[in-house]
Amino acid sequence: MLISIFILTFHNFGCVRVVAEWNPNTTNDEDAILVKDANGTLLNDGDKVTVAKDLKIKGSSQVIKIGTKAVVRRVLDKKDHELDCKVDGIGEMMVTAKFVKKAT
């Protein structure tokens, strides 16, 4: 399926021109989000990770201990807290990638 993007040119009173064509089945490598864990391994949606150091949870007295397992639900393009994870025993939260290691 090929999608054409149109722009109306007003100087020709409504003449339509094709400006660009986009194929949604192709991927653009420039748009890919690259997030690496503490060891430099690339992380993707659905990866299983373990916490590399004890992490305090903001606004709570809970601590996520070393070795706690989590599943990456989404990888986001943010400066901090790039991973939307489901952490075992804690629940869903955002985690910074440099504090986790990809599980084997």
Side-chain angles (χ1 to χ4, degrees):
M1 179 168 104
L2 192 65
I3 298 172
S4 297
I5 301 170
F6 297 100
I7 292 182
L8 294 176
T9 55
F10 294 106
H11 66 277
N12 290 336
F13 300 103
C15 180
V16 178
R17 282 191 311 172
V18 175
V19 175
E21 292 183 344
W22 172 66
N23 187 349
N25 297 328
T26 62
T27 58
N28 190 352
D29 291 337
E30 296 172 5
D31 295 337
I33 300 171
L34 300 176
V35 176
K36 296 182 179 181
D37 68 357
N39 293 331
T41 306
L42 288 176
L43 296 173
N44 297 310
D45 296 350
D47 283 346
K48 295 180 180 179
V49 294
T50 57
V51 177
K53 68 177 253 178
D54 286 349
L55 301 174
K56 294 180 183 176
I57 300 173
K58 286 184 182 177
S60 174
S61 61
Q62 288 184 316
V63 176
I64 302 174
K65 296 287 188 180
I66 290 177
T68 303
K69 296 178 183 180
V71 176
V72 178
R73 298 181 63 169
R74 289 185 300 163
V75 177
L76 304 172
D77 188 22
K78 291 188 174 184
K79 181 179 178 184
D80 198 19
H81 298 94
E82 304 98 352
L83 305 176
D84 181 11
C85 295
K86 183 172 184 184
V87 182
D88 288 350
I90 305 291
E92 296 180 14
M93 63 179 41
M94 302 295 290
V95 179
T96 304
K98 67 182 179 182
F99 297 127
V100 299
K101 294 189 279 187
K102 191 170 184 176
T104 54

